[in-house]
Amino acid sequence: QQQVKQSPQSLIVQKGGISIINCAYENTAFDYFPWYQQFPGKGPALLIAIRPDVSEKKEGRFTISFNKSAKQFSLHIMDSQPGDSATYFCAASKRGTASKLTFGTGTRLQVTL
Amino acid sequence: EPEVTQTPSHQVTQMGQEVILRCVPISNHLYFYWYRQILGQKVEFLVSFYNNEISEKSEIFDDQFSVERPDGSNFTLKIRSTKLEDSAMYFCASSTGTQEQFFGPGTRLTVL
């Protein structure tokens, strides 16, 4: 019940296209859902996050869509650029301080020219 | 922009040796975490730390692991007797107490 399932494992998108990565969770105690971007040899960098009280959050080209009833959330990268090529991890945590992050398995995104 | 720093960037050790991985969290953060990532796999939680105490630890964090905040700025992870399977990237993270966690660049630990 602690798992966060992420798909696809890898994704190839043409420059200018839309990248969509999906995650699903089972634990209804999760109430914070961040996405992290990781470049090779670097640490995960917080990209955008959402809480269950909203269905969508947009920051620039990055949008999280959240479906509370389905217990699913997704990251949409609009106008994908080669610089977006990285591994993306969804994660979830429960309410409370010092609450650990449970990560998905990651999606390797490649944006081609 | 404040960031989490970690040293060393790469540590090579022999099996059975002790290693200490060091982290300097963001200065006004009070909550500290260690995660690890085996090559090509997902990031896994090891331990969280607040007010000089462990808040939560995972099954991975057995008696071979310990954490310490030896002074006002450093946060360390010690592995007493390293095993081959401890080879991984180790990430330190910190937060103010909100759920936003900020990660360091990691230490690559190679156990031979």
Side-chain angles (χ1 to χ4, degrees):
Chain A
Q1 207 182 21
Q2 288 294 325
Q3 272 191 322
V4 177
K5 296 182 180 178
Q6 183 171 349
S7 63
Q9 189 173 13
S10 63
L11 182 61
I12 300 175
V13 172
Q14 279 197 319
K15 180 182 174 182
I18 302 173
S19 304
I20 302 174
I21 305 170
N22 301 298
C23 283
Y25 64 98
E26 295 181 359
N27 191 338
T28 54
F30 287 146
D31 80 330
Y32 173 73
F33 303 90
W35 285 89
Y36 282 83
Q37 180 188 56
Q38 185 180 34
F39 292 104
K42 304 293 185 186
L46 180 62
L47 194 59
I48 186 173
I50 198 168
R51 295 189 186 278
D53 52 346
V54 297
S55 60
E56 185 174 284
K57 183 174 181 180
K58 184 175 180 179
E59 288 183 4
R61 296 186 293 109
F62 300 91
T63 300
I64 300 179
S65 297
F66 189 85
N67 186 330
K68 188 174 180 178
S69 60
K71 290 186 281 188
Q72 294 175 348
F73 58 109
S74 60
L75 176 70
H76 295 235
I77 306 173
M78 313 300 286
D79 187 25
S80 299
Q81 299 297 313
D84 297 330
S85 298
T87 299
Y88 292 82
F89 290 94
C90 63
S93 73
K94 299 178 190 177
R95 183 178 301 275
T97 55
S99 186
K100 69 182 180 186
L101 288 167
T102 299
F103 282 84
T105 49
T107 297
R108 183 173 291 187
L109 171 66
Q110 183 182 353
V111 181
T112 61
L113 293 171
Chain B
E1 185 177 325
E3 57 183 20
V4 177
T5 59
Q6 290 185 242
T7 54
S9 58
H10 190 191
Q11 174 91 46
V12 181
T13 189
Q14 295 290 326
M15 189 169 54
Q17 294 297 302
E18 174 183 288
V19 295
I20 298 176
L21 310 182
R22 291 182 168 80
C23 167
V24 178
I26 295 172
S27 63
N28 64 334
H29 287 189
L30 300 175
Y31 298 82
F32 314 117
Y33 312 81
W34 284 101
Y35 293 81
R36 80 171 185 190
Q37 184 179 33
I38 295 171
L39 186 63
Q41 298 186 23
K42 68 177 179 180
V43 179
E44 298 176 289
F45 169 78
L46 291 178
V47 65
S48 58
F49 190 86
Y50 169 70
N51 199 25
N52 282 318
E53 288 185 348
I54 290 175
S55 302
E56 185 177 1
K57 59 184 180 180
S58 71
E59 294 174 350
I60 304 167
F61 195 89
D62 62 21
D63 292 345
Q64 293 301 311
F65 291 87
S66 63
V67 289
E68 190 178 35
R69 186 151 165 86
D71 54 44
S73 59
N74 290 281
F75 179 51
T76 62
L77 174 69
K78 182 193 290 186
I79 309 175
R80 264 179 269 282
S81 178
T82 49
K83 307 182 185 101
L84 293 175
E85 55 265 36
D86 293 328
S87 294
M89 283 289 285
Y90 288 81
F91 294 107
C92 173
S94 69
S95 76
T96 60
T98 67
Q99 287 162 293
E100 282 188 334
Q101 294 182 26
F102 297 89
F103 284 72
T107 293
R108 179 174 299 281
L109 177 64
T110 302
V111 182
L112 303 175

